[in-house]
Amino acid sequence: MRVLVVEDTAALAAQLREALAEAGFAVDHAADGEEAQFLGETEPYDAVVLDLGLPKLDGLSVLRRWRAGGQRMPVLILTARDSWSEKVAGLDAGADDYLAKPFAMAELVARLRALIRRAHGIASAEIVLGTLRIDTASQSVTQAGAPVKLTALEYGLLAYLAHHPGRPISKSELTEHLYAQDFDRDSNTLEVIVGRLRRKLGDGVIETLRGQGYRLVASPAG
Ligand code: CA
């Protein structure tokens, strides 16, 4: 899952990037409203953390422009403490959730995960597909009851497929959602990651649909 952090205060932006990277997200950062608007219109984010007080273009205007342009990604806004009017204005402008500063990083991460789940119609933090269980809160995976140890990228790829059950996901889509903007992307790496996941999860869990991509199937074959 790839997220955009829009925050002009350098120290808070660094904390957000670190916490979200640790939680398994690929993270891009914008430090002003114009850059944020551009990135939100051109990159396929799974969610956005949007500060409202920003240089060049304020967060509410950024959000309104995204929504007017048809951008539907979940957006969590950061508001000033005790400002109910900011929260109302933000929600009315198309925000999906808010947190007032100062906030606990763990709460922000949990809310973002919940927003992404909801955007995909998933109600529970644990995604169950046949014998495969993916706990998105702890980023842990079991197959037929046995724990499966995954690297961050392996988990990220599996979690992305699990958020789109039944739909084949192309390599280019996976690449766009697994790596941050400044990452040196290589689609061959994806094949390697899928190969390792298949060895760890068993055959039949990740299907290859020729010309379409990869799909997670509910029950392992055989
Ligand atoms: Ca600010």
Side-chain angles (χ1 to χ4, degrees), residues 5-20:
V5 167
V6 186
E7 172 57 65
D8 58 314
T9 306
L12 180 55
Q15 283 174 32
L16 283 162
R17 295 183 74 154
E18 195 187 333
L20 290 168

Side-chain angles (χ1 to χ4, degrees), residues 65-148:
R65 290 181 189 189
W66 281 342
R67 295 314 192 208
Q71 307 296 328
R72 298 173 60 186
M73 66 287 197
V75 174
L76 183 150
I77 53 170
L78 302 177
T79 68
R81 194 156 67 108
D82 298 334
S83 173
W84 64 265
S85 58
E86 262 193 11
K87 293 165 193 162
V88 171
L91 292 168
D92 282 346
D96 299 277
D97 199 0
Y98 63 82
L99 267 179
K101 293 180 178 180
F103 53 85
M105 215 43 90
E107 182 177 0
L108 179 129
V109 171
R111 282 178 180 272
L112 215 54
R113 272 198 297 257
L115 285 180
I116 292 171
R117 281 201 310 269
R118 246 177 274 148
H120 293 91
I122 296 168
S124 164
E126 188 182 48
I127 301 173
V128 181
L129 283 149
T131 54
L132 181 67
R133 286 174 176 266
I134 303 166
D135 184 340
T136 59
S138 62
Q139 298 168 67
S140 58
V141 174
T142 62
Q143 171 64 299
V148 182

